[in-house]
Amino acid sequence: MNRERRARYVDWLKKGILAECGLVALVTVLILSRPADTVEQSLSTNTLFIEEDYIKWVDFTVSYEALCRAYEWDVETHGTEQEINWVELLAYTAAKTGGAFDKSALNTMEKAVEAISAGEKTMEELTADLKYFSYYREAYDAAIGGLVGEYQEECVDEAGNVTYQDRYGLKGYFPLARGFEYSHYDDFGVGRSYGYQRRHLGHDMMGQTGIPIISVESGVVEALGWNQYGGWRIGIRSFDGKRYYYYAHLRQNYPYAEGLEVGSVVTAGDVIGYMGHTGYSTTENVNNIKVTHLHWGLELIFDESQKESDNEIWIDLYDLTRFLAKHTQAAEKVGDTREWVRSSRIIDPAVEQYKTENPGFSPDVP
């Protein structure tokens, strides 16, 4: 009897081991059958997480110094055989450092630029064995991919003749009009208590009521009106759909630029509204915010299911705000009105392309 029990036990044990081996083999096949990039992303515990083939989280930790240097190298090499794309350079650095941007990271960037400029390496060769490069590239392209490129800038000569000159460089703008005083600090993630306990998912810039607010990037107005948390606010979506710019706590009684409405197409540098302290109220047009300021936020969208969900991705904008101060837009008051308009214009190819592809678009902001 004992022998029979032992035999049955051994037989059961063998079957269990075989079943477990089969399960392990099946899981291995499923993993290896997925694209390499997806496998690496799903295994990554660094800057972002991938699920259902799109990015679920991004910690945008690129420093001000890194943004400046990468941008300068991009502009300096534009149109040359050793052209450097600033997004790719930053992604390469992040893949080498695990997303850290200290002095060592700046040295890593510089060595890569030297190798590319000397013709010793291409970016493809430098990144060939970096398994997280594609993830950082996608994440950083979503965050800053629309800020640098070709555009035309308005030029007026002494006789008042207007021409447009070709430019390449920073076509994204600082969110406040040039010449107005402001203060700010890195307040991303600080606690908020109105309504419910939550983190601050934007960047606050303190100033005076009525300061003209500037559209950072060209895009389409997706949201306009009252929100009990943000007061009078504006939401602008980039043309590629990856970035949602949020401008909140705008001025009481006169929050928006004339003619702005949902569906309006705005060009980077346009005046879109005015600083105030509205919000924290279910009643419209109430000043319940203690300090006058602009709250601007940037949500990254890799899948439409992330928009207005529990999986929203908002990034820290302190260093990016400092970087955008390189490109400010002056504004002029319109007579005795409360309205301001930009003092010089640009032609953004992205706007022109959108107009061509969407003939029923709303008029531009005046």
Side-chain angles (χ1 to χ4, degrees):
M1 191 67 177
N2 290 337
R3 290 182 180 179
E4 291 178 0
R5 287 181 180 177
R6 183 180 179 83
R8 284 199 301 270
Y9 173 76
V10 171
D11 184 57
W12 172 82
L13 186 61
K14 288 180 179 178
K15 289 180 179 179
I17 293 173
L18 288 173
E20 187 173 333
C21 290
L23 181 60
V24 171
L26 177 60
V27 171
T28 302
V29 169
L30 289 174
I31 292 175
L32 293 178
S33 65
R34 297 169 66 189
D37 288 351
T38 306
V39 174
E40 291 168 356
Q41 290 175 359
S42 64
L43 295 176
S44 172
T45 57
N46 293 319
T47 299
L48 46 87
F49 300 94
I50 302 298
E51 185 176 310
E52 299 175 4
D53 297 327
Y54 61 87
I55 293 175
K56 304 290 286 191
W57 184 253
V58 176
D59 284 326
F60 188 75
T61 57
V62 183
S63 68
Y64 167 74
E65 292 78 11
L67 287 167
C68 291
R69 290 200 190 182
Y71 168 70
E72 290 164 2
W73 282 317
D74 184 309
V75 173
E76 289 174 5
T77 61
H78 179 66
T80 68
E81 292 184 1
Q82 286 78 35
E83 194 169 66
I84 294 171
N85 178 291
W86 78 314
V87 173
E88 291 186 349
L89 180 60
L90 291 169
Y92 161 80
T93 306
K96 293 278 287 186
T97 66
F101 280 89
D102 51 15
K103 291 183 178 180
S104 176
L106 297 178
N107 291 333
T108 298
M109 288 176 57
E110 188 167 358
K111 289 179 181 179
V113 170
E114 290 174 352
I116 294 173
S117 299
E120 298 172 357
K121 293 280 187 178
T122 64
M123 183 59 72
E124 289 76 14
E125 291 171 335
L126 287 172
T127 59
D129 297 325
L130 294 178
K131 63 179 182 177
Y132 295 131
F133 169 72
S134 61
Y135 318 137
Y136 283 107
R137 179 175 56 188
E138 183 178 357
Y140 290 179
D141 183 65
I144 60 175
L147 299 180
V148 172
E150 296 179 347
Y151 64 98
Q152 291 182 307
E153 184 176 40
E154 181 183 51
C155 298
V156 182
D157 62 21
E158 294 180 356
N161 299 314
V162 177
T163 59
Y164 283 86
Q165 302 294 323
D166 292 336
R167 298 282 188 265
Y168 177 85
L170 190 55
K171 62 178 183 177
Y173 283 86
F174 188 68
L176 303 182
R178 184 186 307 157
F180 290 90
E181 293 186 0
Y182 68 94
S183 62
H184 70 143
Y185 61 95
D186 192 352
D187 57 348
F188 187 80
V190 175
R192 292 291 186 269
S193 59
Y194 173 80
Y196 61 96
Q197 293 291 334
R198 65 197 189 282
R199 296 170 61 232
H200 184 234
L201 298 177
H203 185 65
D204 288 347
M205 305 182 70
M206 281 62 74
Q208 294 183 338
T209 298
I211 293 178
I213 306 303
I214 302 298
S215 181
V216 172
E217 185 181 348
S218 302
V220 180
V221 176
E222 194 170 87
L224 194 74
W226 183 262
N227 176 288
Q228 67 168 312
Y229 303 103
W232 294 122
R233 92 296 190 211
I234 303 170
I236 297 177
R237 190 78 167 263
S238 62
F239 295 126
D240 63 9
K242 298 177 182 178
R243 289 168 296 287
Y244 178 74
Y245 293 91
Y246 181 72
Y247 309 84
H249 308 312
L250 303 185
R251 181 171 59 186
Q252 187 182 50
N253 298 323
Y254 201 93
Y256 309 123
E258 289 289 337
L260 194 72
E261 59 187 27
V262 173
S264 292
V265 174
V266 299
T267 298
D270 284 345
V271 175
I272 56 175
Y274 304 95
M275 185 182 292
H277 53 111
T278 59
Y280 283 16
S281 174
T282 56
T283 302
E284 289 190 0
N285 206 34
V286 173
N287 284 330
N288 269 355
I289 303 294
K290 294 181 180 179
V291 179
T292 298
H293 70 279
L294 168 69
H295 166 108
W296 82 284
L298 177 55
E299 179 185 0
L300 307 185
I301 302 169
F302 299 93
D303 186 89
E304 284 303 309
S305 66
Q306 295 174 301
K307 190 74 170 64
E308 298 182 3
S309 74
D310 293 334
N311 298 317
E312 293 178 348
I313 302 174
W314 297 88
I315 62 173
D316 190 337
L317 297 173
Y318 177 67
D319 285 308
L320 185 58
T321 301
R322 294 174 62 202
F323 171 73
L324 288 171
K326 290 176 171 290
H327 197 202
T328 59
Q329 173 63 61
E332 300 173 347
K333 203 167 187 295
V334 180
D336 295 328
T337 71
R338 304 173 74 183
E339 187 74 3
W340 291 71
V341 295
R342 66 188 301 161
S343 60
S344 61
R345 294 183 175 274
I346 67 167
I347 297 176
D348 184 352
V351 174
E352 303 308 307
Q353 181 178 347
Y354 182 85
K355 291 178 179 179
T356 300
E357 296 174 352
N358 299 272
F361 71 93
S362 299
D364 292 68
V365 179

